[in-house]
């Protein structure tokens, strides 16, 4: 009886929301979000990669850090991403960001749990990169918070999600409209630790959640604010990373 009720619910669900690939709109199994063809175009990042910035290495070199991290390391201690930044991962992220595809969040959160397993295990606090309240009003939700919530949803560890650990102190031009050099200066001093959270940041191991890491300027600025407030370690977990 219970089985029949479940099947009926699934059937009704599939009639109301027929399972289709979110990228190419082809048919998929009821449990899949993207079809196997599209999934294979989403280039997953796996070892060997730089342990600090997550940049994949073309081959095993025996080094743990890339040349850039050896020369001028970022503010964060470790970064991981699920996919390389390409047309396919960008499409998925855009759907989450602008298409109101909130049903995508659990799927993406699951992928991030896999890619960031080690960092999530080590961290004690998790927080999304904040949007300025003006942009939040316009977009209605912070996609990075949705991702953090989705990552948190499937875990039973000691990791605590604090949505507003960081705040944006001023409205900035979207990073996507700027050049590499402009992006670095655009976010200087933009983030600060919420006064109410000062105490818990001290000596904490914090993982920052965002959708994309391109130049790393935003995440670097967030990490710097956390380090300045006394964080012991800052990790970064994103869905996609632009490969240098
Ligand atoms: Zn597809
Ligand atoms: Zn590196």
């Amino acid at each position: 009886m219970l089985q029949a009720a479940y099947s009926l619910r699934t059937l009704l669900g599939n009639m109301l929301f027929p399972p289709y690939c979110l990228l190419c709109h082809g048919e998929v199994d009821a449990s899949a979000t993207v079809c196997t063809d599209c999934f294979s175009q989403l280039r997953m990042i796996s070892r060997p990669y730089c342990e600090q910035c997550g940049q994949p290495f073309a081959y095993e070199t025996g080094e743990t850090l890339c040349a850039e991290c050896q020369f001028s390391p970022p503010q964060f201690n470790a970064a991981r991403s699920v996919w390389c930044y390409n047309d396919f991962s960008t499409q998925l992220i855009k759907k989450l960001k602008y298409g109101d595809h909130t049903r995508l969040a659990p799927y993406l959160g699951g992928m991030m749990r896999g890619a960031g397993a080690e960092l999530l295990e080590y961290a004690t606090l998790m927080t999304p990169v904040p949007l300025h309240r003006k942009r939040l009003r316009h977009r209605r939700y912070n996609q990075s918070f949705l991702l953090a919530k989705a990552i948190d949803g499937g875990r039973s560890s000691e990791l605590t999600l604090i949505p507003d650990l960081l705040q944006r102190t001023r409205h900035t031009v979207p990073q996507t409209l700027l050049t590499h050099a402009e992006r670095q200066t655009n976010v200087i001093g933009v983030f600060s630790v919420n006064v109410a959270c000062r105490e818990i940041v001290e000596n904490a191991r914090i993982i920052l959640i965002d959708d994309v890491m391109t130049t790393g300027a935003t995440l670097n600025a967030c990490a710097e604010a956390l380090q300045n407030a006394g964080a012991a370690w800052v990790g970064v977990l994103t869905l996609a990373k632009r490969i240098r």
Side-chain angles (χ1 to χ4, degrees):
M1 184 62 193
L2 210 65
Q3 189 83 39
Y6 179 77
S7 305
L8 183 66
R9 207 178 64 188
T10 312
L11 185 70
L12 281 171
N14 288 350
M15 280 164 67
L16 290 170
F17 307 104
Y20 61 90
C21 170
L22 272 177
L23 289 174
C24 71
H25 293 270
E27 265 183 53
V28 289
D29 289 344
S31 60
T33 307
V34 291
C35 71
T36 44
D37 281 352
C38 290
F39 191 79
S40 66
Q41 300 291 331
L42 287 161
R43 279 184 53 215
M44 287 196 83
I45 296 177
S46 57
R47 283 202 164 89
Y49 46 62
C50 169
E51 293 297 324
Q52 188 156 6
C53 71
Q55 169 78 17
F57 294 147
Y59 50 89
E60 191 69 70
T61 59
E63 298 277 357
T64 52
L65 299 179
C66 70
E68 217 163 293
C69 287
Q70 288 181 42
F71 181 65
S72 64
Q75 293 287 334
F76 46 81
N77 302 85
R80 301 289 180 269
S81 277
V82 181
W83 295 300
C84 297
Y85 185 79
N86 66 11
D87 286 351
F88 285 82
S89 55
T90 307
Q91 264 195 66
L92 270 185
I93 291 163
K94 277 193 178 151
K95 283 186 194 295
L96 177 76
K97 227 163 164 170
Y98 307 107
D100 228 347
H101 268 288
T102 43
R103 76 177 172 107
L104 247 176
Y107 166 71
L108 299 176
M111 297 302 294
M112 290 173 90
R113 273 202 297 278
E118 288 170 358
L119 307 195
L120 290 165
E121 197 62 48
Y122 186 66
T124 51
L125 302 177
M126 171 162 64
T127 198
V129 168
L131 282 182
H132 190 269
R133 57 182 190 283
K134 248 162 97 183
R135 195 160 301 143
L136 187 64
R137 216 176 304 134
H138 176 72
R139 206 184 281 161
R140 289 181 294 123
Y141 59 83
N142 175 358
Q143 75 280 0
S144 302
F145 170 64
L146 285 185
L147 292 173
K149 224 170 70 170
I151 293 167
D152 192 46
R155 292 177 58 87
S156 53
S157 75
E158 300 301 306
L159 185 66
T160 310
L161 169 61
I162 316 264
D164 48 2
L165 201 62
L166 286 169
Q167 59 189 8
R168 271 183 197 256
T169 50
R170 59 184 158 87
H171 188 59
T172 51
V173 179
Q175 292 284 83
T176 46
L177 303 177
L178 303 173
T179 64
H180 183 101
E182 287 169 340
R183 285 179 188 214
Q184 314 300 316
T185 48
N186 188 42
V187 288
I188 290 176
V190 163
F191 300 97
S192 70
V193 171
N194 221 314
V195 180
C197 300
R198 289 262 164 85
E199 241 168 77
I200 54 165
V201 165
E202 244 175 83
N203 298 316
R205 299 191 295 266
I206 304 165
I207 188 153
L208 279 164
I209 307 297
D210 207 1
D211 49 359
V212 182
M213 175 150 82
T214 45
T215 65
T218 301
L219 287 154
N220 228 6
C222 288
E224 190 173 20
L226 293 170
Q227 304 274 19
N228 288 345
W233 175 94
V234 179
V236 164
L237 179 57
T238 59
L239 267 178
K241 173 180 168 56
R242 174 165 279 159
I243 305 305
R244 296 193 296 267

